[in-house]
Amino acid sequence: MRAVSVEDLKTGMILARTIVNPDMVVVLSENTLLTKAHITRLTFLNIPVVYIKDEYELSQNYQAVSTIFNRGNAFIKDYDSVVQEARSIFSNVNNTGTIPVQKTEDMVQTRIAPMAANSGAIDYLYELNHLASDIYNHSLRVSILAGVIAKWMHFDREKRKDIMLAGFLHDIGKTKFPQRLLDKNINTLKGEDYEAYIQHTVDGHHILNTEPSLSEGVKLAAMQHHERMDGTGFPFNCMGADIHEYARIIAIADIYDNITTEREGYVKQTPFTAIAYLTENMFTSLDPTVCVPVLTHIKDAFLGSRVTLNNGEKGTIAAYPNDFAAHPVVSISPDEIINLNEHPELTITEYNPK
């Protein structure tokens, strides 16, 4: 999916998202094949930007799959097939201490990159049956999320691929963990267990540093993805420009996946909790040059999504009141609009993609 200004629309383009007006009335539905009349109507209604389907979604291979599965099921089918490759790569590192670099790069380019290019990737990842205690599932999801972020930041294809590779390998140091440590909630770790957890960043860098073909960014992403812009991270309390760009991107993908994934002692939360966290920390511990494009695109992507609040009311995401608002405006009915930024007692407990 890509955003296109109405003035740049061309006949034959296909809408990727339903367009609604401020009164929550549908203007044009998803999958509409745009005609000259449609474009004229959008111009007349002063709608500045719409989302259209990208090349991956329009490809013959994708369309063939879609005749058998809906878009979400097709993505999940692709994910389930590639996760076995991811598992074998991590198993190889665990057994030999070395990375099958060519196999890993091929997987990123041919399997992960198309999933990251899918306009519904964020929704589909949320719909997966998450089992986060294993490293390879988490690493695969972070790789896809990193690819989405790199796309939103308008990096070229080669850089996007390298960032996805960094995402997949960021936790490679955890292959040295004992299983009892992998199964624990990191928020409960203390003493020697916590020190061992911190060590995975250093161990990961050591493992990757033996591979001369890997870029410095990939290696530093493993070392620095827990560093924070204000110096509150680990292992070395790096700050600002001392943290590699890849590590800043992987940090956000890692945080997003951890918030929206169920793991031991932690129930997965909605993407709106992750959005609020990024918004609240984007000028302190997180890099705003990464957070701003992420928040801009992800907030737009969730407009029109169905949600349930903790008071039982159901509604639709209507808007975010401004660029830096942590919470959305929810339309409960044509006569009831709730700005969650003004009602801290209300939270989104369930999210259903459009």
Side-chain angles (χ1 to χ4, degrees):
M1 175 177 67
R2 56 195 174 97
V4 176
S5 65
V6 169
E7 62 185 22
D8 292 330
L9 288 176
K10 307 243 185 294
T11 58
M13 288 181 170
I14 298 176
L15 285 180
R17 293 289 192 188
T18 296
I19 302 170
V20 295
N21 66 18
D23 296 322
M24 301 308 295
V25 175
V26 173
V27 176
L28 288 174
S29 298
E30 180 181 351
N31 293 319
T32 297
L33 182 70
L34 292 179
T35 65
K36 187 174 181 180
H38 289 143
I39 297 171
T40 300
R41 183 183 179 198
L42 293 172
T43 303
F44 177 77
L45 292 173
N46 293 318
I47 294 174
V49 173
V50 300
Y51 287 89
I52 66 165
K53 293 192 173 182
D54 56 28
E55 290 76 10
Y56 174 70
E57 294 166 289
L58 297 174
S59 69
Q60 289 185 343
N61 287 342
Y62 182 88
Q63 294 298 331
V65 172
S66 295
T67 60
I68 305 172
F69 305 98
N70 66 36
R71 291 176 61 197
N73 285 344
F75 182 95
I76 293 169
K77 180 179 173 65
D78 288 342
Y79 181 94
D80 287 342
S81 66
V82 76
V83 78
Q84 300 308 317
E85 289 186 48
R87 181 178 184 176
S88 70
I89 289 169
F90 273 82
S91 178
N92 186 88
V93 176
N94 187 50
N95 293 332
T96 68
T98 60
I99 300 166
V101 175
Q102 189 60 55
K103 179 180 179 180
T104 305
E105 290 180 341
D106 289 345
M107 181 188 68
V108 168
Q109 183 165 347
T110 63
R111 307 297 302 279
I112 296 177
M115 287 191 287
N118 192 310
S119 63
I122 296 292
D123 284 345
Y124 303 150
L125 285 172
Y126 187 75
E127 292 173 351
L128 289 171
N129 292 320
H130 293 299
L131 294 173
S133 60
D134 55 72
I135 314 166
Y136 56 87
N137 253 305
H138 169 66
S139 298
L140 178 55
R141 291 193 301 270
V142 168
S143 181
I144 295 170
L145 288 166
V148 173
I149 294 171
K151 177 178 70 174
W152 286 342
M153 296 180 73
H154 304 294
F155 293 140
D156 63 41
R157 180 175 298 182
E158 286 305 307
K159 189 169 183 178
R160 292 200 305 269
K161 184 181 75 173
D162 210 35
I163 290 170
M164 284 183 278
L165 183 62
F168 182 73
L169 295 173
H170 79 286
D171 265 350
I172 202 71
K174 287 184 178 178
T175 55
K176 294 191 174 184
F177 274 13
Q179 187 61 42
R180 66 170 188 82
L181 197 55
L182 285 175
D183 291 338
K184 285 189 175 182
N185 184 337
I186 64 171
N187 296 320
T188 66
L189 296 179
K190 297 178 181 178
E192 291 183 359
D193 281 349
Y194 183 68
E195 293 301 318
Y197 181 81
I198 289 177
Q199 186 64 27
H200 86 270
T201 58
V202 178
D203 289 343
H205 185 262
H206 286 167
I207 292 170
L208 299 183
N209 218 28
T210 63
E211 303 293 343
S213 64
L214 296 177
S215 72
E216 192 67 13
V218 170
K219 297 172 183 177
L220 285 176
M223 174 85 82
Q224 297 181 333
H225 64 277
H226 284 290
E227 299 285 8
R228 296 296 178 255
M229 299 294 284
D230 57 2
T232 59
F234 62 80
F236 300 120
N237 305 112
C238 295
M239 297 180 67
D242 291 334
I243 305 171
H244 194 280
E245 180 182 44
Y246 286 13
R248 302 181 209 175
I249 293 169
I250 302 309
I252 290 172
D254 186 51
I255 288 167
Y256 184 91
D257 186 65
N258 283 331
I259 289 175
T260 58
T261 298
E262 188 166 343
R263 57 190 187 275
E264 183 186 354
Y266 187 92
V267 177
K268 77 174 181 178
Q269 301 178 63
T270 70
F272 303 100
T273 301
I275 290 172
Y277 183 91
L278 297 182
T279 303
E280 291 161 0
N281 291 276
M282 65 186 293
F283 293 113
T284 53
S285 60
L286 303 177
D287 183 0
T289 66
V290 181
C291 288
V292 168
V294 169
L295 292 171
T296 298
H297 284 84
I298 204 168
K299 286 178 177 180
D300 286 346
F302 287 134
L303 295 180
S305 297
R306 300 180 300 276
V307 297
T308 302
L309 303 182
N310 58 341
N311 64 358
E313 289 190 297
K314 297 182 184 295
T316 303
I317 302 298
Y320 274 82
N322 61 61
D323 289 343
F324 301 121
H327 306 285
V329 173
V330 178
S331 174
I332 303 300
S333 71
D335 300 321
E336 185 179 5
I337 303 290
I338 299 176
N339 183 346
L340 295 184
N341 297 282
E342 298 173 357
H343 294 275
E345 76 282 3
L346 296 177
T347 58
I348 295 172
T349 57
E350 292 183 21
Y351 156 64
N352 299 293
K354 292 177 282 187

